[in-house]
Amino acid sequence: MTTTYNCTSEDQRALGLEHAQRAISEKKCVVFPTDTVYGIAADAFSPQAVTMLLVSKGRSRTMPPPVLIPRINALDGLATEISADARKLAEAFWPGGLTLILHAQPSLDWDLGETQGTVALRMPADEIALELLTLTGPLAVSSANRTGQAPAQTAAEARAQLAESVEVYLEGGFRPVEGTDAVPSTIVDATGTVLRVVRNGAVSLDQLREHVPGVLGLGEVPSGQPAAPVAAEDASAAPATTNAEAAPDTPAAEGARDAG
């Protein structure tokens, strides 16, 4: 049975977090607020639960969800080959609106979809989200909406789209702020020798470059390297995008595009 908890009430918040933790352990989906938008979450280490998340959103395994973590020291347990520059950005902007695409730890027993060995990680700056993540551990999370629809900024908006496919809705009010548009996290691909932005968002390129001057902006290529041509048929078929939602070109980025 689907239940919504008003987490602006301390009693409801405690009950909601307890129910959400239980739902995650039972391989069910929950919805909760983050610092960007509301997210739909499932146990990152359960293929069954991740499949339910993807089905709820109406998306395929080619768009694997990112993973939210409760603390920065979880980074080394989930990713490998983490560069010094990637660590600098994590230390500067976590918790916050930055998603890092990294090489996944090969020893982990999980199946997020067709990731080609990568994982998108973020630590959100939201008390309710961090409380839940502390109880459950890493969660596969995507924006709480049907694919192609507007991201939910309240649990009520999420429930209107996702309905009974979610066991628990944690309502924490508008995210980020009532009357403002949802701003997704900035996505940085840190799997190569040079870090590069694959989606603009909450953290600006100038902010990133204050810590890692060599970060490439969206669509930029290293000096002396020609830009990759775009086939005419691909360009005509591609949907128009804004800079904040420009199409990423790695599996983890493609999945993270529809996340907060």
Side-chain angles (χ1 to χ4, degrees):
M1 177 179 173
T2 295
T3 308
T4 296
Y5 295 89
N6 177 8
C7 291
T8 62
S9 159
E10 287 300 320
D11 290 343
Q12 285 277 300
R13 179 165 167 170
L15 289 172
L17 287 166
E18 180 184 355
H19 191 174
Q21 180 186 20
R22 186 167 66 252
I24 291 295
S25 70
E26 295 171 351
K27 316 308 179 190
K28 298 174 181 177
C29 294
V30 305
V31 161
F32 63 95
T34 77
D35 47 333
T36 55
V37 295
Y38 274 70
I40 177 174
D43 182 356
F45 296 99
S46 167
Q48 173 191 341
V50 172
T51 296
M52 287 185 63
L53 184 156
L54 294 175
V55 170
S56 296
K57 284 186 60 71
R59 64 196 289 179
S60 72
R61 286 173 50 82
T62 61
M63 295 179 69
V67 174
L68 296 191
I69 58 177
R71 58 188 67 86
I72 195 169
N73 61 10
L75 186 62
D76 289 287
L78 301 178
T80 187
E81 300 177 41
I82 306 166
S83 69
D85 285 344
R87 290 186 189 278
K88 286 179 184 178
L89 294 187
E91 290 166 359
F93 297 107
W94 283 0
L98 173 69
T99 298
L100 290 174
I101 300 172
L102 299 156
H103 294 288
Q105 281 283 2
S107 61
L108 290 176
D109 183 21
W110 61 4
D111 182 6
L112 298 171
E114 297 175 15
T115 65
Q116 295 182 14
T118 62
V119 63
L121 298 176
R122 185 165 91 86
M123 180 183 174
D126 185 278
E127 286 187 7
I128 297 173
L130 290 175
E131 281 187 55
L132 180 59
L133 288 161
T134 299
L135 293 172
T136 62
L139 293 175
V141 181
S142 187
S143 55
N145 57 277
R146 293 285 294 177
T147 296
Q149 301 300 310
Q153 292 185 267
T154 66
E157 289 180 5
R159 187 163 182 169
Q161 296 189 51
L162 301 173
E164 302 298 312
S165 66
V166 171
E167 174 82 2
V168 176
Y169 289 87
L170 300 180
E171 179 65 81
F174 278 84
R175 294 295 190 276
V177 178
E178 186 172 3
T180 64
D181 292 332
V183 179
S185 64
T186 298
I187 304 175
V188 172
D189 186 345
T191 60
T193 56
V194 178
L195 274 58
R196 59 192 183 95
V197 174
V198 294
R199 182 180 73 182
N200 290 326
V203 180
S204 71
L205 181 60
D206 286 342
Q207 288 175 303
L208 294 173
R209 285 177 172 168
E210 287 177 8
H211 301 274
V212 181
V215 175
L216 296 176
L218 189 68
E220 292 181 350
V221 296
S223 178
Q225 179 179 321
V230 177
E233 59 269 25
D234 291 340
S236 63
T241 59
T242 64
N243 277 347
E245 295 186 352
D249 55 7
T250 66
E254 185 61 30
R257 176 186 176 191
D258 202 22

